[in-house]
Amino acid sequence: MAADEQTPGGDGRGGVQNIHIGTAKGAFAFGAHGVANNYEAARPALAAEQEELLQVVRQLREELRSFARSPETDELTRQLDDTQGEIQNTGEASPGRLTRLRQALQDAATAVGLAASGAAVTQAVAALLGG
């Protein structure tokens, strides 16, 4: 979103034009001879362990939709979403992310124990964290 605003002084035409941009993604060029180039890197290839984690995270996330909501399952859902996003954006879940996911799995153990993919996520996280 952009908003134009006139500021007193400066350009001999009654003011300097300021443009405020809230959030933007891409390349932008300003001025008569501005050039903008935008290069985006390809998504990183996933290691086998990360691919497996991504798959079981998605499965558990889907299964949790049918469970009664609680603060623990809401937090687990948030951690699953964050883990999925991190893997998709960077190619791997960081140790900190895995630790938070493991804690959320433990906190929601009753619900996760009923989900078929809960054990798979727990095992994948344990393998990546080394225990």
Side-chain angles (χ1 to χ4, degrees), residues 105-129:
L105 286 162
Q106 290 170 350
D107 293 346
T110 302
V112 172
L114 298 173
S117 57
V121 172
T122 302
Q123 290 171 350
V125 169
L128 286 166
L129 285 174

Side-chain angles (χ1 to χ4, degrees), residues 70-127:
S70 71
E72 294 81 14
T73 59
D74 287 348
E75 177 61 17
L76 177 56
T77 298
R78 188 174 73 75
Q79 291 301 328
L80 290 167
D81 291 344
D82 290 350
T83 300
Q84 180 177 335
E86 188 170 311
I87 293 170
Q88 290 173 328
N89 290 331
T90 68
E92 66 180 12
S94 67
R97 170 73 52 219
L98 293 171
T99 300
R100 289 187 292 278
L101 177 57
R102 179 170 53 187
Q103 184 62 53
L105 286 162
Q106 290 170 350
D107 293 346
T110 302
V112 172
L114 298 173
S117 57
V121 172
T122 302
Q123 290 171 350
V125 169

Side-chain angles (χ1 to χ4, degrees), residues 14-78:
V16 175
Q17 182 125 10
N18 293 322
I19 299 173
H20 300 279
I21 300 173
T23 303
K25 179 180 179 186
F28 303 90
F30 299 96
H33 302 287
V35 175
N37 297 307
N38 186 29
Y39 303 98
E40 293 194 26
R43 283 194 170 175
L46 299 180
E49 299 87 6
Q50 296 291 331
E51 182 64 43
E52 179 184 343
L53 177 61
L54 183 59
Q55 294 301 321
V56 294
V57 160
R58 288 176 176 156
Q59 290 171 357
L60 180 55
R61 178 68 180 89
E62 282 303 311
E63 286 184 55
L64 282 177
R65 291 176 191 253
S66 64
F67 287 84
R69 289 183 62 184
S70 71
E72 294 81 14
T73 59
D74 287 348
E75 177 61 17
L76 177 56
T77 298
R78 188 174 73 75

